[in-house]
């Protein structure tokens, strides 16, 4: 594939989406013109799947959840990510397959072999070239998601979504599963300490992404 595929991962409240917005602005100003997308919800049908998946009033069985995230990803890979990479673009996705390994594998407890079969089916083997894992403590992330849903400047006045409201033990398992991925694939997955001020994290993100993009020119 001629393009470059970068993903942002982390537990809820890690600040990755804010960092992706800042990075997107920076890259645009500097002429990189990336395609920024996300999971779930990177396609029109994916947006409808996202609404169902994240609705805190919806009762979704864990197996259904696993399969719907995979369905969202299959549509995203085939209709958005692969065509953009084939055209030589830089694609940056807010979450991808590592989220299924962390949330449905680590969080929900599905066996690794099943998770990897379903990931393989949905992605047809497409792996990111680079992944930034935004790491923050469970205390800090819970503080951020709670503030986001109740704060004066909240963009999400509707409240915390169906996965945000899982307990601290769930989010701890998710975080640990992400850290296991990072230690198994240190070449691809770079851990970014996301506990500090926004600007400090942004500097680190710029360093990692720009040096990676330059190395591929
Ligand atoms: P977001 O808040 O980062 O947009 O992600 C939506 C939620 O979906 C978040 O709680 C993580 C969860 N999720 C999974 O559980 N499995 C997945 O495969 C993906 C992509 C997201």
């Amino acid at each position: 594939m001629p393009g470059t595929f970068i993903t942002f991962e982390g537990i809820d409240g890690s600040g990755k989406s804010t960092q992706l917005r800042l990075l997107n602005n920076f890259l645009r100003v500097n002429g990189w013109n990336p395609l920024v997308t996300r999971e779930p919800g990177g396609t029109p049908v994916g947006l409808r799947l996202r609404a169902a998946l994240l609705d805190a009033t919806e009762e979704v069985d864990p197996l259904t959840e696993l399969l719907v995230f995979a369905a969202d990803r299959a549509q995203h890979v085939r209709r958005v990510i692969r065509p953009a990479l084939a055209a030589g673009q830089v694609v940056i996705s807010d979450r991808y397959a590592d989220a299924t390994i962390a949330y449905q594998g680590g969080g929900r407890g599905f066996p690794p072999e099943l998770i990897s079969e379903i990931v393989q089916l949905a992605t047809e083997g497409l792996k990111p070239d680079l992944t930034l894992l935004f790491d923050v403590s469970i205390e800090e992330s819970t503080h951020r998601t709670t503030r986001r849903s109740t704060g004066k400047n909240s963009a999400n006045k509707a409240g915390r979504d169906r996965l945000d409201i899982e307990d601290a033990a769930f989010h701890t398992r998710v975080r640990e599963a992400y850290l296991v991925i990072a230690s198994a694939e240190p070449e691809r997955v770079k851990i970014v300490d996301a506990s500090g001020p926004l600007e400090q994290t942004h500097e680190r993100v710029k360093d990692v992404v720009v040096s990676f993009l330059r190395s591929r020119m």
Side-chain angles (χ1 to χ4, degrees), residues 1-5 77-78 80-89 91 123-127 129 216:
M1 277 276 168
T4 301
F5 183 26
V77 167
R78 290 181 154 222
V80 175
I81 302 175
R82 278 197 192 273
L85 292 175
Q89 264 192 289
V91 177
T123 61
E124 297 172 313
L126 179 68
K127 285 202 111 182
D129 299 299
R216 289 171 66 90

Side-chain angles (χ1 to χ4, degrees), residues 51-188:
L53 279 166
L54 300 188
D55 183 346
T57 66
E58 198 73 64
E59 277 187 29
V60 183
D61 185 88
L63 180 59
T64 310
E65 179 184 284
L66 171 64
L67 295 173
V68 177
F69 277 118
D72 169 76
R73 181 162 307 127
Q75 183 80 4
H76 193 210
V77 167
R78 290 181 154 222
R79 300 299 173 98
V80 175
I81 302 175
R82 278 197 192 273
L85 292 175
Q89 264 192 289
V90 174
V91 177
I92 312 181
S93 185
D94 187 343
R95 297 196 187 280
Y96 185 64
D98 293 322
T100 291
I101 299 170
Y103 281 81
Q104 281 65 51
R108 299 285 187 226
F110 280 106
E113 310 76 53
L114 174 66
I115 295 285
S116 85
E117 258 181 62
I118 289 180
V119 162
Q120 173 66 27
L121 181 70
T123 61
E124 297 172 313
L126 179 68
K127 285 202 111 182
D129 299 299
L130 173 71
T131 296
L132 272 64
L133 172 57
F134 292 82
D135 188 46
V136 73
S137 70
I138 300 299
E139 294 71 30
E140 178 60 20
S141 73
T142 308
H143 178 65
R144 290 180 188 173
T145 54
T146 309
R147 195 179 48 199
R148 189 165 68 195
S149 65
T150 56
K152 271 198 198 125
N153 300 322
S154 169
N156 179 16
K157 291 216 168 57
R160 299 164 82 208
D161 71 36
R162 199 174 56 79
L163 286 119
D164 288 340
I165 60 178
E166 287 290 341
D167 62 15
F170 176 88
H171 291 290
T172 302
R173 291 196 298 276
V174 173
R175 182 182 181 211
E176 280 165 5
Y178 268 133
L179 292 172
V180 168
I181 299 171
S183 64
E185 293 180 74
E187 274 302 303
R188 171 176 71 88

